[in-house]
Amino acid sequence: MPNDTASNDSPVLVWFRKDLRLDDNHALCAAVTTGRPVIPVYIREPEEAGTGVLGAAQSWWLHHSLKALAASLHGIGSDLILVTGSAEATLSRMAKETGAGTVFWNRRYDPNGIALDSALKDRLPGSGLQVNSFSGQLLHEPSRIKTGTGGPYRVYTPFWRALENAGEPDTPLDAPETLIAPDQCPKSERLEDWTLLPVKPDWAQTFSEIWTPGEAAALERLSDFVEERLDGYKHNRDRPAVDGTSRLSPHLALGEITPARIWHATRGLRSIPAEDVTTFRKEVVWRDFSYHLLFHNPTLPTENLNRTYDAFPWVSDPSAFDRWTKGMTGYPIVDAGMRQLWRHGYMHNRVRMIAASFLIKDLLIDWRRGAAWFADTLVDADPASNAASWQWVAGSGADASPFYRIFNPILQGEKFDPEGDYVRNFVPELERMPQKFIHRPFDAPAAVLKAAGVELGGSYPEPIVNHAMARDRALAAYQQIKDAA
Ligand SMILES: Cc1cc2nc3c(=O)[nH]c(=O)nc-3n(C[C@H](O)[C@H](O)[C@H](O)COP(=O)(O)OP(=O)(O)OC[C@H]3O[C@@H](n4cnc5c(N)ncnc54)[C@H](O)[C@@H]3O)c2cc1C
C-alpha cells in the first residue's frame, strides 16, 4: 500500500542493521514520532547480497546481541521480527502483508552497504514503501568532513582538527519508552535456527569470561569506564596487562552504543585530567577517520592505498602463518596477543600493532591474510578500522607508520608489559619465567629455563625467526619496491 494512502493505524517498519540498540537510535525515534505501530525487523541477508559475512567471533556476538535487542523491544511493546532473505524482497513482502508504507533505517557507510541502500531507495517506492534514512553510527557523516579544497583527508591530525571545528556531535536521543505494537505481527524465524553460535562450542565459551553483548552492557561499560578508568587512560591505554581501556569496540561494531553517546558522556568531567579525556576522544575519532578513509577509498580492505606496495615480495608460508594464528611464534608478546584473540575474541591495541607488525615484517606475510584472520576471530571486527589499521602497520595506508619502523617484539614487550603479567596470563607455560627473561626466553641460561619448567622447542617453541635477521630481510624487501617505484 503506498505511503499516501496508508491509514493512520497502518504500521511502519524499522530495519535494524549494525545498530542493535534503542538508545540514540534516530531511525527508531523517527518511527515512533509517526504515532503509528512499529514493526522492528532484522534481515539476515544472503552472502550474495554483498553486505559482507560476519566472522565467527562476531556471529557469536550477534546471536547474543539480537537476543538482548528482542528482549528490550518486547519490553517496550513490539516484537523483533527475524527474516532470512534479500532486503528488497523481504521489505516489499512485509509492506504488502502489513500495509506498512514507510521503512526507517540508520545509514551504513561501507561501500557495499551504501550501494545496496541506494538501490533500495530507488526500488522500494515501486513496492509502495518510502524510505527514511538517518545518521548515527559515526560522530559525523564521512561526506561532511572536507579539506579546505573540498577533498577527503588522508592524514589523521588535520582530520581531528576539522572534526573539532565541525562542532559537537548531535546530542544523543533517549530510547523510546513505548512502542505501539501492530495488530498483526509478521511471522518471525527463530534465532536458535540461525546457528550463529560456533559449531565448536568450546572455542567461544571463554568469550563470556569478559564480554556481555547487548546495549545494556554497553551503557554500563561506558559508565564504569568513565567513573573508574578514564582517569589515567593516557598512560594505561598502552599497558596490555592493565584493564585501562574502555573495551567498547565490540559494542560499537554492532551499533549497541553510538560514538555520540560516548562523546557526550565524556563532557564536563572536571575531576578527570583533560589529557585523558582528549586522548580517549582522539581514539574514538580514529574510528571515524577509518570510515572516512573507507568511504573515500572503497577498496581499502583489499588493495594497498599506496600502490607502490603492489610490488611487495610477500612470502607464502602456510606453516608460519599457522604458528602465528596459534600463538606459537616463540616471541612471548606476539603469542600472548594471538592467544588473547583466540580466548576472548579481542586483543589489546598495543599488542595488535606488535602482532600485525610481526606477521608483515618478520614473516613477510601479506597484511590481507592477517586482516582476514582478525575479521574472523575478533568480536569487534570492523571493515573500516580493521583495514585501515592493517594498512597503517604495513606502511601502505594513509598516514601510515613508515615501513622501516619495525616493531621489536622483545623491546615492545619489555616496555609495555614490564612485569610480564600479560604474557603470563595468556602463555601459561612461561608463568614461572623470571621477569628478566619473560620476553626473551631464548636468551635465558639453561638453569633458568629448567627452574622455570620451560623446555624451548618442547613446552614452548623456539623463535620462528631471528628478529634481527628478519628485520634486515624486511628492509631489503622494502628497498626492492622503492627501487622499482
Ligand atoms: C592490526 C589492527 C587491527 C584492528 N582491527 C580493529 C577492528 O577490526 N575493529 C576495531 O574496532 N578496532 C580495530 N583496531 C583498533 C583498536 O585496536 C581497537 O579499536 C581497540 O583495541 C579496541 O579496544 P577499546 O574499545 O578498549 O579501545 P579504547 O582505547 O577504549 O578506544 C575507544 C574506541 O576508540 C576506537 N579506536 C581506538 N583505537 C582505534 C584505532 N586504532 N582505529 C580505529 N578505532 C579505534 C574504538 O572504537 C574503541 O572502542 C585494530 C588495530 C590494529 C593495530
Side-chain angles (χ1 to χ4, degrees):
M1 187 186 299
N3 196 28
D4 48 8
T5 59
S7 71
N8 270 347
D9 50 7
S10 66
V12 294
L13 306 177
V14 176
W15 179 19
F16 283 87
R17 294 104 69 92
K18 285 188 178 175
D19 50 358
L20 306 179
R21 61 176 184 277
L22 307 189
D23 179 66
D24 196 22
N25 188 325
H26 291 230
L28 181 64
C29 286
V32 171
T33 309
T34 63
R36 292 165 184 269
V38 172
I39 302 178
V41 55
Y42 183 89
I43 304 173
R44 187 167 59 142
E45 294 175 88
E47 203 173 327
E48 313 82 81
T51 36
V53 183
L54 288 193
Q58 212 164 36
S59 293
W60 173 89
W61 193 287
L62 177 66
H63 175 93
H64 295 289
S65 190
L66 284 174
K67 212 170 171 175
L69 178 70
S72 305
L73 286 165
H74 182 76
I76 59 167
S78 211
D79 285 328
L80 180 65
I81 308 299
L82 303 175
V83 187
T84 304
S86 87
E88 185 180 351
T90 305
L91 293 170
S92 307
R93 181 174 49 74
M94 285 181 88
K96 211 183 251 166
E97 268 174 32
T98 64
T102 313
V103 56
F104 293 77
W105 71 58
N106 292 308
R107 288 190 276 280
R108 40 192 178 187
Y109 303 106
D110 59 289
N112 292 339
I114 293 170
L116 285 162
D117 287 355
S118 308
L120 287 171
K121 278 185 179 172
D122 287 342
R123 293 212 284 262
L124 285 175
S127 308
L129 202 53
Q130 303 304 317
V131 174
N132 271 345
S133 73
F134 298 83
S135 63
Q137 314 291 70
L138 298 173
L139 291 167
H140 296 284
E141 299 217 282
S143 53
R144 187 171 161 212
I145 307 290
K146 294 191 175 95
T147 62
T149 55
Y153 283 95
R154 285 177 75 99
V155 180
Y156 174 79
T157 303
F159 177 82
W160 158 257
R161 280 200 214 104
L163 206 124
E164 277 189 309
N165 292 335
E168 289 284 292
D170 291 342
T171 307
L173 304 174
D174 287 337
E177 283 174 10
T178 52
L179 298 179
I180 305 172
D183 287 341
Q184 259 199 328
C185 260
K187 201 168 166 339
S188 174
E189 292 166 20
R190 276 165 25 101
L191 183 59
E192 288 64 30
D193 295 338
W194 279 12
T195 53
L196 292 168
L197 296 175
V199 187
K200 248 187 169 180
D202 54 336
W203 163 56
Q205 252 166 25
T206 40
F207 289 3
S208 41
E209 283 174 8
I210 65 161
W211 300 117
T212 308
E215 172 177 16
L219 292 169
E220 197 179 318
R221 196 173 270 278
L222 172 63
S223 68
D224 280 359
F225 172 71
V226 171
E227 275 168 34
E228 289 164 27
R229 298 192 299 282
L230 182 55
D231 191 342
Y233 174 80
K234 186 170 189 231
H235 174 74
N236 291 336
R237 65 177 289 268
D238 259 327
R239 296 291 168 121
V242 175
D243 182 11
T245 64
S246 71
R247 292 201 180 163
L248 283 166
S249 52
H251 298 287
L252 278 162
L254 287 185
E256 295 172 352
I257 194 166
T258 61
R261 176 59 75 195
I262 297 172
W263 187 275
H264 284 272
T266 58
R267 282 179 66 182
L269 302 170
R270 281 194 206 91
S271 61
I272 296 179
E275 61 172 17
D276 287 322
V277 175
T278 306
T279 306
F280 177 64
R281 285 179 160 192
K282 280 188 167 171
E283 292 309 315
V284 176
V285 169
W286 269 101
R287 178 174 175 273
D288 262 51
F289 183 54
S290 302
Y291 270 98
H292 183 82
L293 290 175
L294 179 62
F295 182 79
H296 291 289
N297 306 279
T299 58
L300 186 75
T302 49
E303 284 173 21
N304 297 304
L305 215 51
N306 176 349
R307 303 310 295 257
T308 310
Y309 280 76
D310 289 356
F312 197 88
W314 300 115
V315 166
S316 165
D317 187 341
S319 148
F321 183 73
D322 189 54
R323 280 180 64 175
W324 177 78
T325 61
K326 293 194 163 81
M328 296 292 280
T329 67
Y331 285 92
I333 191 80
V334 176
D335 294 343
M338 297 307 294
R339 295 191 205 182
Q340 181 184 26
L341 179 59
W342 192 251
R343 184 154 125 199
H344 289 152
Y346 176 86
M347 195 193 304
H348 187 276
N349 180 59
R350 168 61 47 185
V351 193
R352 290 188 204 203
M353 291 194 281
I354 302 168
S357 174
F358 191 83
L359 183 79
I360 296 166
K361 297 175 186 178
D362 287 59
L363 302 180
L364 290 189
I365 293 180
D366 193 328
W367 62 266
R368 282 158 283 220
R369 295 213 57 205
W373 181 258
F374 271 30
D376 202 20
T377 53
L378 276 171
V379 285
D380 66 19
D382 179 275
S385 300
N386 197 34
S389 301
W390 274 93
Q391 292 228 36
W392 183 88
V393 178
S396 58
D399 198 9
S401 168
F403 187 92
Y404 54 80
R405 274 208 358 228
I406 295 176
F407 282 75
N408 179 321
I410 306 158
L411 300 182
Q412 288 280 316
E414 289 174 347
K415 184 167 178 194
F416 296 108
D417 182 31
E419 322 285 325
D421 292 343
Y422 177 76
V423 164
R424 287 193 185 86
N425 187 9
F426 292 104
V427 187
E429 54 281 29
L430 297 180
E431 208 175 349
R432 291 195 285 129
M433 275 303 273
Q435 185 176 342
K436 185 170 173 200
F437 294 108
I438 186 79
H439 292 289
R440 48 173 91 226
F442 34 83
D443 287 341
V448 171
L449 288 172
K450 193 163 179 234
V454 175
E455 191 200 332
L456 284 184
S459 63
Y460 185 68
E462 300 266 15
I464 185 170
V465 285
N466 172 303
H467 174 68
M469 284 163 63
R471 184 174 186 280
D472 290 346
R473 185 175 70 147
L475 290 175
Y478 179 57
Q479 193 58 44
Q480 210 175 306
I481 60 165
K482 265 178 52 187
D483 292 346

